[in-house]
Amino acid sequence: MTRSEEESLYLSLLSQLQSSEPAAVLNALETIKHRLIGHDQTKELFVRLGIAKSLISILGTDGYLDKTWLDAKVEAGIVVGSLAYGGESYILHLLQSAALPPLTASLNPDKSPPKLIISSLRTLNTMLDTYISPTVPLNPAVTISSALYTHDGLRNLHKILSQDSTDRLSQDQISLAASLIAKSCRRVPYTTGDEEGAVQREGLHQKLLVGAGVLDALAARLASFAPDEYRKKSNSDSKIPPQAPPNARIAPILNAITAIVRGSKLRSIEFMFSPALAVLFPYSTSDEKLSEGTAMSLHLPQPKSSSDLARAPRQIITPSEFPPLSATTTSSSSADTADLDEDERLRAVTQATDSDNTNPTLDIAESELINWLISLVRTGDPITRLTAASLLTNLFLVGLVAKRLVSYIALLVVPVLVRLLDEGGKAIGVGSTGVGGIDAQTWNRWQVEEKAPEVLSNLMVENLVFQKAAIDAGAVKKLAAILKKVSESPSAVNGVNGDAAYTSTEESTTKSNPEYNHRMKMKEGVLRCLANLGLFKDDYRRIIIDANILQTVVTQCLKPLTPIQPLLAQDNNSNAEGNPPSVLVAACGVIRAVSRSVSILRTSLIDAAVAIPMFNLLRHENDDVKTAATAAICNLVLDFSPMRKPISDAGALDVLCDLVKCNNRPLRLNALWAIKHLMLDADAATKRRSLENLGVEYLMSIISTINTDPSTDPEDEEDDDEEMTDDPALETLHLPKVAPLEQRLPPKIRTVVKQLQKRERIAQAAQSRKQAIALQEQGLEFIRNLICGTEVSTMIDLVFNSIGADRLLSLYETLLTTPNQSGEIVNAVVYNIVHIAAGEPKHRQRIIERTDLLKALLGFWNHRNPHVRSGLAWVVINLTWKEEGNEAEGVQRRINVLRGLGWAERLKEMEKDTELDVKERVKTAKFQLSGVGGNGNANSSSGGGGGSSTGR
């Protein structure tokens, strides 16, 4: 058949789709279906002839329909799915042709036949599984989520998941609906620079799913898979769903639940206390008194002795609680100042979390649900193991795993995840379907290969116990082998686990190619694992370096898809395959982690020539990439780093100053942090240029912000006495009501849940305050580095003349007298004053004249941060220092002022300090305040610890 004859036949078939006779429409659709499936050229021709419009019209047919019309709708849905299976261009064409409304409408079990629901669910899943270039104007993931999370869409999902039928079609619908939820959650619209809106929308889909009863329906589905031993303990309670049929799949259910509860202790509690799970895995609460800062104590059945029950649960360190590394070091050595010791970092984290008495906690003894999840990780098929591990990881990160079980996770779960890193080839028979021309078996194996490093990475986040377990299980060796495989030219690779790769390099690097997308996801997961492994322990960083992967990271993982112009001649990855933003971010994370080691910073990173590729990423179009790159640059431009000069010579200061003025808050923070490091020991001309580039008023806008704590809002305190209410986002959709949360929880944990709900209400304000404080701290530390080092007096004069001495000192006073001021800001202000006092006598006089400022400083003599207490002693030391020459009268005046304000008495109290450094500084301060003093130059005495140089 010639091309013209073929086209005439297809036009004839398309004309039949306009017929009012359902039989003719059905016959035409069946013919089209058989010609389309597996024939890309035929799909292209039909799309060009306008088939999409006819298909969407048929799918949208409503009202009373006989069996033939319903069959025609099923066939139309299958044809639409076949087109979506073709890849990016077909999916975008369908979306532009308004295919989503009829697809989501056909998910109603009350109106649509089961086969139509299945075809629509498969089509939507295919659209979300297919890699779409980030440069396209229409984002399918966001578009689908917007259409799905509506009143009708949520109601339909709930109906599908609540079906009682055990037949294959119903179980397929349940699995596909759960998969759709897992893939579409969190896909909210995002506009560059709209961080506040993004925070407000964070968790919106999850809240909608909880409010619509979808989480409870999923929990009931999960309960149906529980072993008989749990059912027998529950005495045949009516709330327990019947046993899942053999054709049911647990992995999609686990995946969907994880997507809904991820990162939220509140939603995790709602999941664990869902009616079905609460019956199968009952809780028992203790009548013991609550510890300070804890709303209640929750205990689970514990087979161990009562002494085990009495032990306090492990303090969980989560990513949200990990503060930026503050500029608190006071050592006189710049190398010591920038020491990236992991133990000190972890102590800082623990102190931060311990001091946060507003964080409601649940003292978990043990949960049968956790035990069951661990058993699933140990015994299920690969995908089930990974989805169970993912849910278990979330429950651990939000603090709902008993202390006794943490060691079991390290011993039993982590080795399984490490083993799954290179056992994707065993992922067969799990009932999934292929996507975009990839057969089901290959697709299922790919899912394991992509998900294994992702789950392992999440579990290891800032947890040394799990990191050690992964190291002991040989994770680095496996990760290195996988990274090298997926980074090689596709024509030279026979797949990670033996599958034949595409032979065309050009085809394999096409941005919408499934194989390319798979390799990039694997690369991202592996890089994130390596980054988390190297975050704290220098021994682990050395293992990573010894695996010889650094050169692969630099040459194969730092090149973007679109070349950055102008490309510097020193860039050594010009022949590498381009990487999407997600891989670039993960690769920057590896560089940031290993650059925390001083020895690696001075040796291996130099050999790998990482400086210029990292600098190029500062000019990438994606904000996430620039944010990750600036975080790594912070370490690469430390004063003792050999890469500081080439990065500076490439123009880093000007680029970073521009980034500080963008609307992306994390990017602004990292850029200012890097500039701060560049200022340490820089020449006066460079410092002057940085201040000019930033602009005085812009700098003042950063450091002048008064950040109030939203948790102290009296209106919120009044809300604590009110009953728990639904989220306002749910009220606008008029969703079917589920049982109020307070009716489903034991009375003793309602207080905790109310506090968690309050935290979610103020989450946006709290996050904004946290980011503003971090930025303000770096702005103050930037000034600190400007006025220390070389030409101290000249730089203090520059700052005073540019900003205004009275204006700056008044700001310091305001910041120190602000109620509930952040400790980081107090520390930064104290050391700004320390270094001003280390200038000339005229600068000391400026400070001594401001008695209110000195009184405010004195109020921090017993501050919880020892660096602040040490800084106060340095203020006295520098203010009472005798310059060479005749300045005795000025020194005595300053001593008299300090004594009159009560500094001598406070120093006497501070002699009892438990910190040795504070005690030594106080001795010197007392000696000089006694009137004896010392001769010399205040700044050469170290002036209070030198500049601020803290790794990122």
Side-chain angles (χ1 to χ4, degrees), residues 52-71:
K53 183 178 180 181
S54 300
L55 294 173
I56 293 167
S57 177
I58 295 170
L59 278 177
T61 305
D62 205 353
Y64 174 77
L65 301 174
D66 59 21
K67 183 179 182 304
T68 307
W69 264 120
L70 290 176
D71 290 342

Side-chain angles (χ1 to χ4, degrees), residues 640-702:
F640 52 82
S641 169
M643 286 166 285
R644 177 173 179 168
K645 187 177 188 305
I647 292 175
S648 298
D649 292 345
L653 181 58
D654 293 336
V655 175
L656 290 169
C657 286
D658 289 338
L659 294 179
V660 172
K661 298 178 182 179
C662 73
N663 293 323
N664 186 294
R665 286 179 175 173
L667 178 54
R668 293 169 64 194
L669 171 63
N670 289 348
L672 189 54
W673 203 319
I675 294 173
K676 175 194 76 174
H677 285 174
L678 283 172
M679 293 305 101
L680 186 59
D681 291 336
D683 57 77
T686 301
K687 291 181 176 182
R688 186 176 289 105
R689 183 159 63 91
S690 69
L691 187 59
E692 293 172 354
N693 286 357
L694 282 178
V696 170
E697 294 306 318
Y698 188 79
L699 177 62
M700 289 300 292
S701 71
I702 290 175

Side-chain angles (χ1 to χ4, degrees), residues 110-131:
D110 297 334
K111 296 182 179 181
S112 302
K115 289 185 178 179
L116 177 57
I117 296 175
I118 289 176
S119 68
S120 296
L121 286 170
R122 281 179 176 160
T123 299
L124 293 170
N125 274 282
T126 298
M127 289 179 170
L128 292 173
D129 283 328
T130 304
Y131 178 74

Side-chain angles (χ1 to χ4, degrees), residues 174-215:
I174 292 169
S175 296
L176 289 167
S179 297
L180 183 61
I181 290 170
K183 296 165 188 173
S184 60
C185 244
R186 303 173 68 131
R187 304 294 188 98
V188 294
Y190 174 75
T191 304
T192 301
D194 186 21
E195 279 73 28
E196 291 188 6
V199 172
Q200 189 175 15
R201 293 187 296 269
E202 180 68 23
L204 174 61
H205 290 163
Q206 289 89 334
K207 292 176 183 177
L208 294 174
L209 289 164
V210 172
V214 172
L215 179 60

Side-chain angles (χ1 to χ4, degrees), residues 396 406 409-410 414 459-460 463-471:
F396 167 76
V406 172
I409 294 176
V414 174
L459 186 60
M460 294 188 303
N463 188 286
L464 289 176
V465 175
F466 296 154
Q467 290 171 13
K468 183 179 185 302
I471 291 290

Side-chain angles (χ1 to χ4, degrees), residues 848-868:
I848 209 69
E849 289 173 352
R850 304 190 69 92
T851 55
D852 289 341
L853 176 60
L854 293 171
K855 289 178 183 178
L857 281 170
L858 194 57
F860 295 99
W861 71 274
N862 60 348
H863 194 273
R864 66 179 182 274
N865 186 344
H867 299 300
V868 171

Side-chain angles (χ1 to χ4, degrees), residues 280-307:
L280 275 174
F281 309 105
Y283 286 71
S284 61
T285 55
S286 170
D287 293 330
E288 296 176 2
K289 293 294 182 181
L290 307 180
S291 60
E292 183 179 358
T294 303
M296 56 74 63
S297 183
L298 174 65
H299 294 278
L300 302 174
Q302 173 61 279
K304 294 294 182 180
S305 64
S306 58
S307 61

